[in-house]
Amino acid sequence: MHDLVIRNALLVDGLGSAPVHGELGFSAGKIVEIGKAKGSYKETLNADGLALMPGIIDNHTHYDAQLTWDPLASPSPALGVTTAIIGNCGFTIAPCRPAGRDLIMRNLTQVEGMSIEVLRSGIAWEFETIPEYFAMLERRGVGLNIAGFAGHSSIRSFVMGEDASRRAASDAEIEAMRRIVLEAVRAGAIGFATSTSPAHNGEGGMPMPSRLAEERELRALVGSLKEAGRGLFMLTKGGQTKMAFLEELAADSGRPVVVAALLHNSTSPGVVFDDLDAIAAANGRGRRMAGAISCCPLSFDFTMRSPYPIESLDAWKRALGKKGDAMKAVLADPSFRQGIRDELARPATFRLFNGEWDKVQVVETVRRENAHFEHRTLAELARASGRDPIDIWFDLALDEDLDTVFIAQTLNSDEAALAKMLRHPASLVSLSDAGAHLTFFNDAGYGLHLLGHWVRDLQVLSLEEAVRRLTSHPAEIFGIRNRGALKPGYCADLLLFDPAAVNRGPKKRVLDLPGGGARLATPPIGVHGVWVNGTRIADEKGMRPLDRLPGQVLREFNG
Ligand SMILES: [Zn+2]
């Protein structure tokens, strides 16, 4: 007797085939039949014509810390994600000796938008090395399948201590890092991840350690993937990192290379397509490269205590890491404001924030007399008052002890451009950043957004193509075995949903992190069931209570 047969479903196989009505049966966590089920089953579920697809493989998450206190990686599984790749951008928590923990947490709090209190009260430090971290996840259990990168910034801090954010590495230090990457990949890391993005800063505005790496360091570390004969290289690219250099790494190592974060910038709209075209051309020369794009507009909720969208401006450097009165003094300084105006007036190829005042809005004011600012953009307020948008912005924040909440829709908001990116042969649908930036945004529901907004509402992609983009496509790029398709022998990672309703719900602020920390939540809409390795973890009412955690730590990948 097999376990469960789902009847009367619209089967979307993840491979891009046209959807067909049929049945799917599984047993002991593996799909046994698809199409017409002939075996006998202990249980039957009538899907009433709902769509059944493989579970979403979220290839860009940051659950490394959260998984040690929340093995379910909330909210991703409720949003249809059955496999998550962690350690992106190289922001891991392993390797780490006890003496290095504080530095790792201080770096993460800034770059990932988690408070230091959350990290201090949350992280279980039952490991030092990367293999020990994976072993800990296995011992404690995970609610969904997890694959993890060896992370450059943590490896650099492990080898170089506080110097990791200050200088280039010596030959001996590069050799020590190379051995750690090699050991990690042999123990089951999915690859090596790094960031050269100027948006990535640690405590007090110190650059994240990986940003200090010279090209020879990257060459050596990516070279260890070649030596291991496994693993892929993922990088979040700053504007100074050239695509030709990344192609060289792909060619020398023979390993796949995933380039993030390719976001559309309305003030330099061609750049993202130049990058995608360069990747497509490299693939034409035999490389295996993909450009990680997002199907969501990038918007940040923030206060002027930590205004992520503008923190990567050079002119902001004077304010980085400042708190309270020191921050207020900088914000009030007319020459500081002028510096920001001057910088925004200069064109830039990659910049998170570009002075698009119609895309910065006041969300929530503190003082009653300022309530009339709410839900208005800085462009509107500037037009109405004849004042400069930066003066309006900073003066309002100063008037409210820096607690005014703003939202900035910085990048990726041009739908025609996004449609073109989604259809580009070199693009990989990615960048949920789930588990990070918790107070700024939450795109963990990117898969439901793709199915609702881009498939149903805008008809930019067919249902079967969108499902392929969320499942077998990332599985193929990342070498994930026996997942990402509805096929006999494949793991029973499944998502049952209503194509007419599917969506991600409105954002709301909840206080459920360790120690009561805040994050933005977004509920699923139209999800009727999620299975991980044959265990149903969610139904139409949301997550179910579980008597055991059904996820696996994935350690073996296709070449
Ligand atoms: Zn990231």
Side-chain angles (χ1 to χ4, degrees), residues 60-62 87-91 111-112 195 200 234 236 260-261 431-434 436-437:
H60 193 116
T61 81
H62 292 276
N88 277 277
C89 314
F91 306 150
V111 79
E112 301 297 19
S195 165
H200 286 150
M234 111 36 81
T236 295
L431 306 181
S432 81
D433 259 341
H437 307 296

Side-chain angles (χ1 to χ4, degrees), residues 304 315-338 340 390 394 398 402:
M304 291 309 285
W316 187 262
K317 284 223 169 75
R318 265 179 68 200
L320 260 181
K322 295 250 175 4
K323 294 195 168 61
D325 288 342
M327 175 65 101
K328 289 183 198 166
V330 178
L331 289 180
D333 179 352
S335 70
F336 175 74
R337 294 182 182 191
Q338 192 55 42
I340 291 182
I390 290 185
F394 293 3
L398 287 170
L402 308 182

Side-chain angles (χ1 to χ4, degrees), residues 502-535:
V502 66
N503 218 329
R504 54 175 180 168
K507 282 182 298 189
K508 57 176 193 284
R509 202 166 284 273
V510 296
L511 301 169
D512 64 354
L513 292 176
R519 68 181 176 96
L520 289 171
T522 148
I525 297 176
V527 169
H528 289 252
V530 181
W531 288 260
V532 171
N533 296 312
T535 296

Side-chain angles (χ1 to χ4, degrees), residues 1 52 101 106 120-121 175 177 190 228 327 406 423:
M1 289 270 270
L52 185 66
R101 290 174 189 165
R106 283 185 278 126
R120 285 199 177 122
S121 60
E175 175 55 19
M177 287 188 252
I190 196 165
M327 175 65 101
F406 300 93
R423 292 187 180 124

Side-chain angles (χ1 to χ4, degrees), residues 119-276:
L119 294 169
R120 285 199 177 122
S121 60
I123 298 178
W125 291 100
E126 298 167 14
F127 60 88
E128 287 193 16
T129 67
I130 296 170
E132 286 167 5
Y133 172 77
F134 291 143
M136 178 192 75
L137 292 184
E138 272 166 352
R139 199 167 58 240
R140 296 169 70 108
V142 282
L144 72 175
N145 307 304
I146 296 293
F149 280 109
H152 194 179
S153 279
S154 302
I155 293 172
R156 215 166 192 269
S157 298
F158 187 81
V159 169
M160 300 173 66
E162 302 265 355
D163 268 3
S165 285
R166 297 189 184 123
R167 60 167 174 87
S170 68
D171 287 347
E173 287 163 341
I174 290 176
E175 175 55 19
M177 287 188 252
R178 198 189 61 80
R179 282 171 194 279
I180 292 172
V181 175
L182 193 60
E183 174 196 53
V185 173
R186 286 184 172 148
I190 196 165
F192 169 68
T194 190
S195 165
T196 60
S197 168
H200 286 150
N201 295 301
E203 188 200 40
M206 287 287 266
M208 282 302 278
S210 60
R211 290 178 51 197
L212 277 289
E214 294 174 332
E215 287 193 354
R216 67 189 189 109
E217 179 176 333
L218 286 175
R219 256 184 244 282
L221 299 185
V222 177
S224 62
L225 302 179
K226 179 182 187 177
E227 189 178 341
R230 52 194 289 177
L232 79 146
F233 173 48
M234 111 36 81
L235 159 131
T236 295
K237 182 175 102 59
Q240 77 288 4
T241 306
K242 296 286 170 268
M243 207 54 92
F245 171 63
L246 299 177
E247 184 182 353
E248 209 182 298
L249 292 178
D252 291 350
S253 66
R255 306 307 310 165
V257 174
V258 170
V259 185
L262 305 187
L263 298 161
H264 185 259
N265 181 343
S266 306
T267 60
S268 43
V271 173
V272 74
F273 294 105
D274 293 345
D275 283 345
L276 285 170

Side-chain angles (χ1 to χ4, degrees), residues 386-458:
R387 297 180 64 215
D388 179 88
I390 290 185
D391 291 331
I392 298 172
W393 188 7
F394 293 3
D395 286 344
L396 176 59
L398 287 170
D399 190 41
E400 303 204 313
D401 205 23
L402 308 182
D403 285 328
T404 320
V405 181
F406 300 93
I407 187 166
Q409 204 170 74
T410 56
L411 297 170
N412 242 28
S413 50
D414 178 329
E415 293 205 314
L418 244 67
K420 207 171 138 196
M421 288 159 65
L422 284 168
R423 292 187 180 124
H424 198 286
S427 72
L428 166 71
V429 177
S430 182
L431 306 181
S432 81
D433 259 341
H437 307 296
L438 298 184
T439 56
F440 298 118
F441 66 86
N442 182 340
D443 288 341
Y446 78 108
L448 305 185
H449 181 67
L450 189 74
L451 298 169
H453 186 70
W454 293 103
V455 174
R456 183 193 55 238
D457 298 346
L458 301 184

